[in-house]
Structure formats: structure tokens, C-alpha cells
Amino acid sequence: DTGVSQDPRHKITKRGQNVTFRCDPISEHNRLYWYRQTLGQGPEFLTYFQNEAQLEKSRLLSDRFSAERPKGSFSTLEIQRTEQGDSAMYLCASSLGRDNYNEQFFGPGTRLTVL
Amino acid sequence: LAKTTQPISMDSYEGQEVNITCSHNNIATNDYITWYQQFPSQGPRFIIQGYKTKVTNEVASLFIPADRKSSTLSLPRVSLSDTAVYYCLVGVHTDKLIFGTGTRLQVFP
């Protein structure tokens, strides 16, 4: 257990439905990251927050994806109008973001299956 | 962003030392080299990070030659529980992580 939790662990939904995932980072970590991982591939960066500010978004993050970190603590990732191609493991990570060290601690992930 | 190249898979036996080499010919001056380990159905876990020469911790050693165009992760005396995917990453250490496809290590009894 890294101290980063994600909920739910598994989500099965039908195409066209909206889904929301939650990530609770390690409490003193000011950086929070979202990644997506498909079978046989390494995780792909989606977006990250420094406290409550969303600093970068990947081109992978289409208009159907939105992420928030309202109080600089937990974060949510919402996917609207899900597509079968959205099926993947969604990973959250957090870090202190200090200049000289940035170990990222990953949560267990949320596995999304879109039918 | 510096791209990394590492073997797709490696096999080993328990008790052996495993060395996984990663090539990163275009590494930039500010880039660090970091290795993560990932077990099935889990998120990646940090193993070790270095900038140059040699770094050692309780889990592994990281060897980086002077030109920094490659690096080698060394796992001493592997066990079955070391079976996992190992990712070599290069980048500014405060930035997002860029993963490749990693090296799938299989340890046999």
C-alpha cells in the first residue's frame, strides 16, 4: 500500500455513459498525476495538478475527459460519453514535487471496461 | 523528451543477478534516469533514480557511464517475487513520467 487510494477499483459501463473516478493522494503531496494504461503498454500521462491548479494536459485528454482537484487534496477524473476505446486502467500518482526529488507514488488503479 | 530503448523481455533463475540495460542516446543535461517496477494489476513502484556514476539502495543498483547514453539496472539475487515489468524513464525529475513498454522479467525457480 503506497498511501494513494483510488475508487472504484473496477468499473463496467455501457458505451455512452458517464463515469467518474476518485483519487486520494498522500496527504502532504502537492502534485497529483493521472495516467492511463492499456494491456501490454506502459502508462501514458494524461494530466497533472500542482495543488489545485491543473498545469498540463496531454493530447490524449479529449474534450470528453475532465479532471479536477478542487481543494488541492483529492482529485476526480470524469469521462463523458464513454467509448470502447476508453477501456483501460486509470492510474493516479502523487508526489512532493520537490526540485531535487520526485518519486511518484501510484495508486492501485481503476480498471474501466466499456461494453 | 529523451526516448529509451530496453529489451522487451528477460528470463532468469532465482538467486541470479539480473542486469537490464536501457539506451537513451538523446538524454539531456537536466535529465535524470529513473526505474520503476510494476506487478500485474498494480501501479508502478519507484525502484531507483540517478544522474551519473553509480547509485545503490536496498533493492537495486543503477550504473550510469560517463556519457550517460545508457544505464543498467542491477538486481542482485533475484527471487520469484521480482517477476515484473521494469521501466526505464528519462526526464526532468519533477516532470510527468514518460513510460515505454518496459522489460518483462520472468524469474524461474
Side-chain angles (χ1 to χ4, degrees):
Chain A
D1 184 2
T2 62
V4 178
S5 61
Q6 292 187 245
D7 184 69
R9 295 291 307 276
H10 303 273
K11 178 70 176 179
I12 300 174
T13 191
K14 293 183 178 180
R15 190 175 52 186
Q17 298 294 305
N18 298 343
V19 294
T20 300
F21 309 141
R22 176 178 170 127
C23 171
D24 286 90
I26 294 172
S27 59
E28 62 266 30
H29 285 184
N30 52 33
R31 286 203 170 196
L32 187 148
Y33 304 78
W34 285 98
Y35 295 84
R36 180 174 69 184
Q37 186 173 25
T38 54
L39 199 61
Q41 302 298 313
E44 298 172 293
F45 169 78
L46 293 178
T47 188
Y48 86 90
F49 294 83
Q50 173 89 19
N51 299 313
E52 65 275 9
Q54 189 173 17
L55 296 187
E56 186 173 349
K57 295 196 296 184
S58 163
R59 291 173 300 170
L60 295 174
L61 218 62
S62 75
D63 291 344
R64 297 184 297 105
F65 288 71
S66 63
E68 294 182 341
R69 194 182 183 197
K71 297 183 179 180
S73 56
F74 73 92
S75 176
T76 58
L77 177 68
E78 180 183 16
I79 309 174
Q80 296 183 327
R81 304 181 303 282
T82 53
E83 302 173 355
Q84 288 184 326
D86 296 332
S87 295
M89 174 77 86
Y90 289 84
L91 294 161
C92 172
S94 70
S95 75
L96 282 170
R98 295 191 307 223
D99 285 344
N100 59 349
Y101 189 65
N102 188 36
E103 176 181 348
Q104 292 189 21
F105 295 81
F106 283 80
T110 295
R111 182 169 296 282
L112 173 65
T113 302
V114 181
L115 302 176
Chain B
L1 294 171
K3 182 179 177 181
T4 61
T5 302
Q6 52 185 124
I8 294 173
S9 64
M10 294 182 68
D11 293 336
S12 182
Y13 291 96
E14 281 192 294
Q16 291 190 331
E17 178 184 74
V18 171
N19 296 308
I20 306 174
T21 297
C22 178
S23 297
H24 28 81
N25 292 319
N26 297 323
I27 189 169
T29 303
N30 294 335
D31 287 343
Y32 279 69
I33 300 157
T34 311
W35 286 80
Y36 277 77
Q37 174 193 55
Q38 186 175 26
F39 299 112
S41 299
Q42 294 186 24
R45 184 176 72 118
F46 174 92
I47 301 176
I48 198 165
Q49 183 180 77
Y51 184 80
K52 61 181 179 180
T53 62
K54 176 184 175 182
V55 179
T56 298
N57 62 23
E58 64 277 6
V59 176
S61 294
L62 178 60
F63 298 92
I64 305 168
D67 66 5
R68 304 200 327 122
K69 293 183 183 300
S70 67
S71 59
T72 299
L73 174 72
S74 181
L75 304 172
R77 298 178 298 282
V78 294
S79 64
L80 295 176
S81 63
D82 293 315
T83 294
V85 179
Y86 293 82
Y87 296 97
C88 166
L89 296 91
V90 173
V92 177
H93 50 77
T94 56
D95 208 350
K96 58 186 181 289
L97 300 177
I98 305 297
F99 290 84
T101 52
T103 297
R104 195 168 300 272
L105 173 66
Q106 179 69 55
V107 180
F108 295 95

